[in-house]
Amino acid sequence: MSITIRKAAVIGSGIMGSGIAAHLANVGIPTLLLDIVPKQLSAEEEKKGWTLDHPAVRNRLAAGAVAKLAKTNPAPLYDPAFAERITPGNLEDHLDGLADVDWIIEVIVENLDAKRSLLERVESVWKPGTIVSSNTSGISINAMAEGRSEAFRRSFMGTHFFNPPRYMKLLEIIPAAGTDPQLVQQMKQFSETVLGKGVVIAKDTPNFIANRIGTYGLFVTLQEMERGGYTVEEVDAATGPALGRPKSATFRTLDLVGLDTFLHVADNVRLNVDSESERQAFTPPASLTGLVERGWLGEKSGQGFYKKVKGAGGKSEILSLDLKTMEHGPQKKAASGSLEAAKLAKGAREKTKALLGAGDRYSELAWNVLKQVLVYAAEKVGEIADSIQEIDEAMKWGFNWELGPFETWDAIGLARSVERMEKEGTAVPDWVKEWIAAGNTSFYRKQDGKRFYASRGEFRQAEQAPELIDLRALKEQGKVVQGNSGASLIDLGDGVACLEFHSPNNAIGGDILTMIQQSVQEVRQNWTGLVVANQGRNFCVGANLMLLLMEAQDEEWDEVDDIIHLFQQSMLKLKRLDKPVVAAPHRMTLGGGVEACMPADQVVAAAETYYGLVEVGVGLIPAGGGCKEFALRVSQQAGHPEADLLPQLGRVFETVGQAKVSSSGHDAKRLGYLRGVDRIVPNQDHLIYEAKQAVLQLAADGYRLPAEERIRIAGSEGKAALQLAAIGMHEGGYISDHDLLIAKKLAHVLAGGDLPAGTLVTEQYMLDLEREAFLSLTGEPKTQARMQHMLSKGRPLRN
């Protein structure tokens, strides 16, 4: 049995409250956003002659929060238009509206008395069965529920979103003693499927799971910094990507969180635990409290451990804090054998082992921090969460660690590391030593593609929801049908195959193109349909630019022509496959990655998909069928043979010509990259499952390959209009001479060349135009300079 949430209410319109409301709006849930009634008029309201009774004044806090959503970066909304799904109000005039919603979320100040008082008011209008939750980051859920009716308590729980709610995957659900266990599981399923969250069930203990361990780890790091005399830069070098952690590492993370907020979170543990040693562990050092007393709170105050200033030539420069002098100065880059070894290693496991194994002072820092965090996490199993898996997932989803504590322990060698800890006088929990004594060498193991984790003295199989399809596990089970160095065809079951890219950065080269053609042949003969998907960090960042540049610099034009021709024909074969094809892009899907999706019958995209044809950024135009597919869509959407193609074609010209990239899957629809038939999936982990279901549905509906259509083109008249717009941009100083050349080539292709307007052409004709324009631009020195700059600097060159 599942729950249905048709409408929600969020009480508290601060950063978290408005962010949660925005994410509910993102997934299509109309939301009432309430806050208190202001006690004073603003200067602007006084000028307008309003009184405190004016509705706009009474709703000011919530309405202002909604208005800010469009200006906030990173954007809380998938599409700015979704703000219309949020209705602002106030707790005096609109409290009765809580009776009409299915979920009420409290997001007010972190004060137990204030929360209790609010929940009392909520229950006065509460409709039995309505879910009520608190977004507290650490206050006791049971304490909040005191004084409430039994029926209310059955529907009450903690739902701790991490900030920003749209982007942070973790949602901790914290049941109270009286919460209906079935409702907890239903909320978990709803939050994973509809909200796209990674959910862990936490116990009602101070700061729950992620903040408990994360805060402890940050304090340990500060202590080791002082003990070893490390600088801010050195600590961040040793506790960032080198240790499988985010680039923000320790001090950039603290600046982002806010030092005052961090101390508040730490105090919640320090003041609510019984252990004296634990209270000491959460007691902030004088250096940290001193910064807060100075008002140096991090990014929100303009300075903390780092400070952003204008440097020479007006360029921004990031200064770091010297804790001895309490002055900010130029950063001094940390360098050592261990840091270099970690940088060269592949993956978090190997990076961590390389960092710890080098034996220098950075290795020592990393080890002294890590061992304490691992032991603390082990001590808290059963207290803050029932399983090591929930602790690991909380740290990966809430703090963006690549490996959770117990996964890290496995990576560095469980028995060996415990032996070292004990030699150094670190007390390891008995259950860990007993686990090793029983002959176990790790906390996790895999068998027949299934994952097991340590639990109460034995291995327990990790639950695997059907929506979680793991391509790596399928490959371990021998489900690869065929493959090469760049791609594999994998059996997903039920007659559906998955074409997975796995080249470096999933860049499209000859190996992937060959595999596409082989997969088309295999699926045509033996399968129900095909999913094009992978589980890399990004779906695909385009074609192999390095290969193209090398061939262009060697003036091997026949080779360049062959590469583009192979790309085009591979995409055409994919489009002509007489079985349903569904593409499932996620995150960065650029250039050739988009063109690999465009032939599909349907695209099922992750909500966090940043999708765009960006070839003009490297001095080229799309030539893997992207221009052709857009021209076909314009022709189809026009409908009537006499309809004007230019308005829609102009929008396409602007989108491709400016290399626009969507800020979400929904934004990709707004930009015209995705069609009405295409779908958005909130949870990226469910993406391949949903794509597979789409294939099966198309097959069940009696899929037939659509007949090939001719494309009605805008012709020479449309080309002239598009080029005129580009010339205007050039004369206005908005684009360079080379930009104008590229724009003219793009206009030529999108309009269908120099044929008369309304001419019907084949797809192959359009592909030939693409290839010709691409080849000519590849030979331009300025294009080659742009390609080289992108490869070396990772950003476009304007020349």
Side-chain angles (χ1 to χ4, degrees):
M1 183 178 178
S2 61
I3 56 174
T4 301
I5 295 177
R6 298 179 182 85
K7 189 175 180 180
V10 174
I11 304 175
S13 65
I15 292 173
M16 279 303 298
S18 60
I20 292 170
H23 194 57
L24 292 169
N26 282 335
V27 298
I29 299 174
T31 300
L32 179 63
L33 181 62
L34 303 181
D35 212 316
I36 61 173
V37 174
K39 291 182 169 57
Q40 288 184 318
L41 294 172
S42 68
E44 186 178 348
E45 289 165 347
E46 287 180 345
K47 284 181 182 178
K48 291 179 178 179
W50 290 352
T51 69
L52 289 172
D53 292 329
H54 194 288
V57 175
R58 296 177 71 80
N59 296 340
R60 184 215 305 155
L61 296 179
V66 174
K68 286 180 185 176
L69 293 175
K71 304 170 187 174
T72 302
N73 187 31
L77 293 163
Y78 291 151
D79 186 323
F82 292 172
E84 297 175 1
R85 297 171 179 171
I86 305 173
T87 302
N90 68 75
L91 281 166
E92 293 183 14
D93 302 328
H94 306 109
L95 189 68
D96 289 349
L98 300 181
D100 297 325
V101 305
D102 304 301
W103 183 14
I104 301 166
I105 310 173
E106 170 273 308
V107 200
I108 66 168
V109 63
E110 288 285 83
N111 177 281
L112 178 58
D113 290 338
K115 290 179 184 292
R116 280 177 172 166
S117 176
L118 176 63
L119 291 176
E120 183 178 3
R121 293 183 66 190
V122 168
E123 188 170 9
S124 71
V125 296
W126 173 74
K127 178 179 65 180
T130 299
I131 301 158
V132 183
S133 69
S134 171
N135 184 62
T136 178
S137 60
I139 294 177
S140 171
I141 304 302
N142 283 302
M144 274 189 239
E146 289 179 7
R148 306 280 53 80
S149 69
E150 181 181 350
F152 186 92
R153 292 200 306 270
R154 286 183 63 80
S155 297
F156 179 64
M157 67 188 74
T159 49
H160 180 210
F161 290 81
F162 273 59
N163 190 36
R166 168 184 165 181
Y167 299 95
M168 292 302 292
K169 185 172 180 177
L170 180 61
L171 174 62
E172 293 175 322
I173 291 183
I174 311 98
T179 310
D180 180 357
Q182 185 179 19
L183 181 61
V184 172
Q185 291 305 313
Q186 290 171 346
M187 278 297 290
K188 181 177 187 291
Q189 181 184 23
F190 167 83
S191 300
E192 289 170 343
T193 304
V194 179
L195 300 182
K197 294 299 174 187
V199 177
V200 296
I201 306 299
K203 292 181 178 290
D204 188 23
T205 55
N207 288 9
F208 314 129
I209 302 175
N211 277 345
R212 181 75 167 267
I213 292 175
T215 305
Y216 176 84
L218 288 167
F219 272 130
V220 165
T221 306
L222 286 166
Q223 291 159 8
E224 290 301 322
M225 176 189 187
E226 291 187 356
R227 186 178 294 121
Y230 295 93
T231 66
V232 165
E233 300 98 309
E234 287 177 323
V235 170
D236 275 356
T239 59
L243 199 58
R245 308 285 170 79
K247 290 181 180 178
S248 56
T250 297
F251 294 112
R252 179 66 179 141
T253 297
L254 284 169
D255 277 356
L256 288 169
V257 169
L259 306 192
D260 55 337
T261 301
F262 174 71
L263 289 184
H264 175 78
V265 172
D267 280 347
N268 194 56
V269 178
R270 185 171 58 84
L271 300 174
N272 290 287
V273 294
D274 297 326
S275 165
E276 178 58 32
S277 63
E278 196 164 5
R279 282 198 291 269
Q280 286 297 320
F282 282 86
T283 299
S287 58
L288 192 58
T289 55
L291 287 173
V292 174
E293 289 168 1
R294 285 170 177 252
W296 295 4
L297 308 180
E299 190 169 87
K300 61 186 175 185
S301 68
Q303 61 185 332
F305 288 100
Y306 291 100
K307 180 180 181 181
K308 193 174 187 178
V309 298
K310 287 289 184 184
K315 279 191 172 184
S316 293
E317 183 182 358
I318 306 294
L319 306 180
S320 62
L321 180 65
D322 184 331
L323 287 170
K324 295 177 182 177
T325 65
M326 295 304 290
E327 293 181 352
H328 291 86
Q331 294 186 54
K332 298 174 183 177
K333 186 176 180 181
S336 76
S338 63
L339 295 175
E340 187 61 28
K343 185 177 180 180
L344 294 174
K346 300 292 185 184
R349 292 175 181 273
E350 296 306 315
K351 286 180 180 296
T352 302
K353 287 194 287 186
L355 177 63
L356 297 179
D360 61 21
R361 65 192 302 265
Y362 297 102
S363 296
E364 182 181 1
L365 171 62
W367 168 250
N368 287 339
V369 169
L370 185 60
K371 70 177 180 180
Q372 295 181 72
V373 173
L374 298 184
V375 167
Y376 186 74
E379 290 173 346
K380 297 304 158 190
V381 176
E383 179 184 336
I384 63 175
D386 281 331
S387 73
I388 65 168
Q389 181 176 243
E390 284 171 313
I391 291 175
D392 276 350
E393 289 176 338
M395 298 316 299
K396 290 189 292 183
W397 295 339
F399 277 74
N400 291 322
W401 292 8
E402 291 189 51
L403 299 172
F406 298 95
E407 292 172 328
T408 301
W409 220 329
D410 282 358
I412 64 175
L414 176 57
R416 185 171 61 251
S417 60
V418 166
E419 182 181 358
R420 180 179 173 185
M421 290 174 187
E422 293 196 296
K423 281 182 179 179
E424 295 172 352
T426 300
V428 177
D430 288 341
W431 78 264
V432 175
K433 293 187 286 186
E434 290 165 3
W435 180 253
I436 296 171
N440 296 299
T441 58
S442 64
F443 289 115
Y444 292 94
R445 76 178 186 193
K446 283 190 175 180
Q447 184 176 332
D448 301 326
K450 297 174 182 175
R451 196 180 198 217
F452 297 81
Y453 64 91
S455 177
R456 296 179 176 87
E458 63 181 8
F459 275 110
R460 176 177 296 186
Q461 184 178 338
E463 291 183 14
Q464 183 75 18
E467 295 87 358
L468 299 176
I469 293 177
D470 185 345
L471 295 182
R472 181 178 298 178
L474 290 175
K475 288 191 281 188
E476 290 172 355
Q477 295 170 39
K479 298 291 186 180
V480 176
V481 180
Q482 53 185 257
N484 60 27
S485 60
S488 297
L489 190 67
I490 303 168
D491 181 1
L492 295 181
D494 302 315
V496 180
C498 176
L499 176 61
E500 177 203 29
F501 300 167
H502 48 67
S503 64
N505 297 317
N506 288 342
I508 298 176
D511 46 6
I512 287 180
L513 297 174
T514 298
M515 197 63 231
I516 289 173
Q517 300 210 20
Q518 292 176 356
S519 297
V520 167
Q521 184 177 350
E522 168 67 20
V523 171
R524 175 173 286 124
Q525 294 173 352
N526 300 311
W527 299 80
T528 300
L530 178 67
V531 168
V532 181
N534 64 71
Q535 292 175 322
R537 178 173 177 78
N538 297 304
F539 176 79
C540 177
V541 295
N544 188 330
L545 193 61
M546 175 65 78
L547 176 62
L548 280 170
L549 178 59
M550 288 171 59
E551 298 291 4
Q553 289 176 334
D554 292 342
E555 299 187 356
E556 296 285 355
W557 306 120
D558 288 343
E559 291 293 328
V560 176
D561 187 55
D562 287 345
I563 291 169
I564 303 308
H565 186 260
L566 177 61
F567 198 137
Q568 291 181 338
Q569 294 311 304
S570 299
M571 297 304 109
L572 206 55
K573 285 188 177 182
L574 192 61
K575 185 173 183 176
R576 294 284 166 248
L577 175 59
D578 56 357
K579 301 289 180 68
V581 177
V582 174
H586 65 275
R587 295 187 64 83
M588 300 301 291
T589 303
L590 305 175
V594 172
E595 290 175 308
C597 296
M598 293 180 99
D601 298 291
Q602 187 177 17
V603 174
V604 176
E608 298 299 341
T609 300
Y610 317 122
Y611 201 82
L613 293 170
V614 296
E615 285 83 353
V616 298
V618 289
L620 300 167
I621 68 160
C627 293
K628 177 262 294 182
E629 284 296 318
F630 258 135
L632 175 59
R633 291 181 188 182
V634 169
S635 175
Q636 291 170 332
Q637 290 165 4
H640 193 276
E642 302 299 322
D644 186 6
L645 300 173
L646 198 55
Q648 181 62 23
L649 195 64
R651 285 190 285 273
V652 170
F653 180 64
E654 179 181 324
T655 297
V656 180
Q658 294 182 10
K660 291 184 179 179
V661 176
S662 73
S663 59
S664 68
H666 292 85
D667 193 44
K669 279 199 171 188
R670 183 187 65 83
L671 291 171
Y673 286 122
L674 297 183
R675 305 155 295 183
V677 69
D678 298 329
R679 287 179 46 219
I680 311 298
V681 174
N683 193 330
Q684 186 177 309
D685 292 341
H686 296 181
L687 191 59
I688 295 178
Y689 171 84
E690 294 292 347
K692 175 185 172 182
Q693 298 310 305
V695 166
L696 293 173
Q697 187 62 56
L698 286 168
D701 291 342
Y703 178 81
R704 293 180 65 84
L705 178 67
E708 185 175 352
E709 293 183 54
R710 297 226 166 194
I711 302 168
R712 186 162 69 89
I713 59 171
S716 56
E717 294 177 15
K719 170 183 168 180
L722 296 179
Q723 290 186 344
L724 186 61
I727 291 168
M729 292 284 287
H730 181 256
E731 290 178 349
Y734 296 105
I735 62 175
S736 68
D737 292 347
H738 194 53
D739 290 329
L740 180 59
L741 173 64
I742 299 164
K744 285 183 174 180
K745 296 281 187 183
L746 179 63
H748 176 76
V749 175
L750 286 174
D754 295 316
L755 296 176
T759 302
L760 296 175
V761 301
T762 64
E763 292 189 42
Q764 188 58 55
Y765 168 83
M766 294 296 293
L767 290 174
D768 291 342
L769 287 181
E770 280 186 359
R771 197 167 72 257
E772 178 187 328
F774 188 96
L775 275 167
S776 67
L777 286 170
T778 306
E780 293 286 336
K782 287 188 176 182
T783 285
Q784 293 181 20
R786 289 190 179 192
M787 295 165 75
Q788 182 68 58
H789 192 271
M790 178 60 75
L791 288 166
S792 61
K793 304 292 185 182
R795 57 180 184 270
L797 170 69
R798 294 301 304 273
N799 58 359

